Amino acid sequence: MKKSILIMLTAVLYYGTAGAQSTSNSIQMKEISAKGYTTFKVSDKVTLYAVSFKNQYNLQVAGHLFVPKIIDRKAKNAAIVVGHPMGAVKEQSADVYAANMADRGFITLAIDLSFWGESEGSPRNVVLPDMYAEDFSAAVDFLGTREFVDRERIGVLGVCGSGSFVISAAKIDPRMKAIATVSMYDMGSASRNALNHSQTLEQRKKNQAEAAEQRYAEFLGGETKYTGGTTHQLDENTHPIQREFYEFYRTPRGEYTPKGGSPKTTTHPTLSSNTKFNNFYPFNDIETISPRPMLFITGDKAHSKEFSEDAYKRASEPKELVIVPNAGHVDLYDKTDLIPFDKLEAFFTNHLKGNK
């Protein structure tokens, strides 16, 4: 049977009675080639699979599973779940991290959050932070039931917005044994207060009123409106931060439109749902994650540095803050010469008990 044909996981790829589980949970997996992707690379030392599995709310979550060829699939191995920036998809920076960490011997799983990419959820691009956190727990469900994964050695890594989602998930899911974030955005604070607390309460209330009014339009079948995200055109007045995102999301460097999507809506959440972030407080109770370790990585020039510094200040030991010299926020999405992979490898090796 050709590798491209969708297959149910065999005994090699299942744990225990997963044959029955695959029917009830619609777990699917197929080996694929990375040659068709331009935003990330996979070495010949790694086998890449497209996988899907249901979260607790019966939404199918899509992912890319990277399995190093050197691992013993009859043994229990460490694994890492990787999450993409808010508004992005797995084929961008999440796959960059997953592919590189797989090169270092870890089983890695990059996922699309619900309502984004190839994961289920309708309408598309809606904001639901609790569901995003659930997707990381569902990814642990999937990995922890694979025959070749040690469920006691599963870590999580969130880039940008997913940094706040993995923290939200880890607070209530002790199966996540080591938590790392890169270029983290606290999506709640960013929505309520904007960067450096530059948004007033009056501006926040104005945004909430616009979103609430848009709910009427959509309830009556009107056109969906989108907000935020990355600009589609630069001009002399474009803000430097928007230019930074444009250089990634609107150029061949990082542009990716999922099948069935539109370049016009990539990165943009819906207007009527975006204010749900105003009720999202991922750093509350972050200290309760201890004694599980946390690693926060940010660039010294990153506009988002305040969020990593805030989380580090609130977290309890063991914790570490790594500030990468000469790195901006988006630089750490894909610039592998700047991303401190040695630090990430050491962190997960140490805290996932060493057997990569």
Side-chain angles (χ1 to χ4, degrees), residues 183-250:
S183 287
M184 178 168 57
Y185 252 72
D186 173 349
M187 293 305 303
S189 179
S191 179
R192 288 186 299 274
N193 309 311
L195 294 172
N196 301 309
H197 288 247
S198 59
Q199 178 172 267
T200 66
L201 178 58
E202 289 70 25
Q203 288 171 317
R204 184 199 309 177
K205 288 183 175 181
K206 180 175 181 293
N207 292 339
Q208 291 173 171
E210 291 175 353
E213 193 65 25
Q214 177 61 19
R215 290 182 64 110
Y216 281 131
E218 292 176 7
F219 186 82
L220 295 172
E223 180 183 1
T224 300
K225 289 187 178 181
Y226 300 87
T227 188
T230 302
T231 186
H232 293 262
Q233 186 174 347
L234 299 180
D235 59 38
E236 60 183 11
N237 297 316
T238 304
H239 193 280
I241 292 176
Q242 272 289 0
R243 289 182 179 274
E244 185 180 0
F245 283 118
Y246 180 94
E247 289 172 3
F248 182 80
Y249 287 114
R250 304 301 179 206

Side-chain angles (χ1 to χ4, degrees), residues 141-328:
D141 295 340
F142 172 80
L143 286 173
T145 52
R146 299 313 95 201
E147 185 180 53
F148 50 81
V149 172
D150 185 346
R151 61 174 60 177
E152 296 301 319
R153 292 192 289 138
I154 299 175
V156 289
L157 168 60
V159 183
C160 189
S162 276
S164 59
F165 307 146
V166 299
I167 289 173
S168 179
K171 287 190 298 184
I172 60 172
D173 193 337
R175 300 174 303 169
M176 301 174 186
K177 302 301 184 183
I179 299 92
T181 70
V182 180
S183 287
M184 178 168 57
Y185 252 72
D186 173 349
M187 293 305 303
S189 179
S191 179
R192 288 186 299 274
N193 309 311
L195 294 172
N196 301 309
H197 288 247
S198 59
Q199 178 172 267
T200 66
L201 178 58
E202 289 70 25
Q203 288 171 317
R204 184 199 309 177
K205 288 183 175 181
K206 180 175 181 293
N207 292 339
Q208 291 173 171
E210 291 175 353
E213 193 65 25
Q214 177 61 19
R215 290 182 64 110
Y216 281 131
E218 292 176 7
F219 186 82
L220 295 172
E223 180 183 1
T224 300
K225 289 187 178 181
Y226 300 87
T227 188
T230 302
T231 186
H232 293 262
Q233 186 174 347
L234 299 180
D235 59 38
E236 60 183 11
N237 297 316
T238 304
H239 193 280
I241 292 176
Q242 272 289 0
R243 289 182 179 274
E244 185 180 0
F245 283 118
Y246 180 94
E247 289 172 3
F248 182 80
Y249 287 114
R250 304 301 179 206
T251 72
R253 171 184 166 194
E255 193 282 330
Y256 187 85
T257 301
K259 184 178 180 181
S262 167
K264 295 180 179 180
T265 57
T266 58
T267 78
H268 298 291
T270 63
L271 173 63
S272 60
S273 71
N274 197 46
T275 51
K276 285 185 170 57
F277 278 135
N278 290 352
N279 277 341
F280 181 50
Y281 293 84
F283 296 170
N284 285 2
D285 292 331
I286 190 174
E287 70 278 3
T288 64
I289 292 175
S290 176
R292 288 173 290 153
M294 302 193 72
L295 172 64
F296 307 98
I297 297 174
T298 185
D300 66 344
K301 302 181 186 302
H303 63 262
S304 58
K305 185 170 66 170
E306 61 178 289
F307 301 124
S308 293
E309 291 175 332
D310 184 23
Y312 175 76
K313 181 179 179 180
R314 298 189 192 200
S316 295
E317 297 287 352
K319 61 182 178 179
E320 184 175 4
L321 174 64
V322 174
I323 298 179
V324 181
N326 301 312

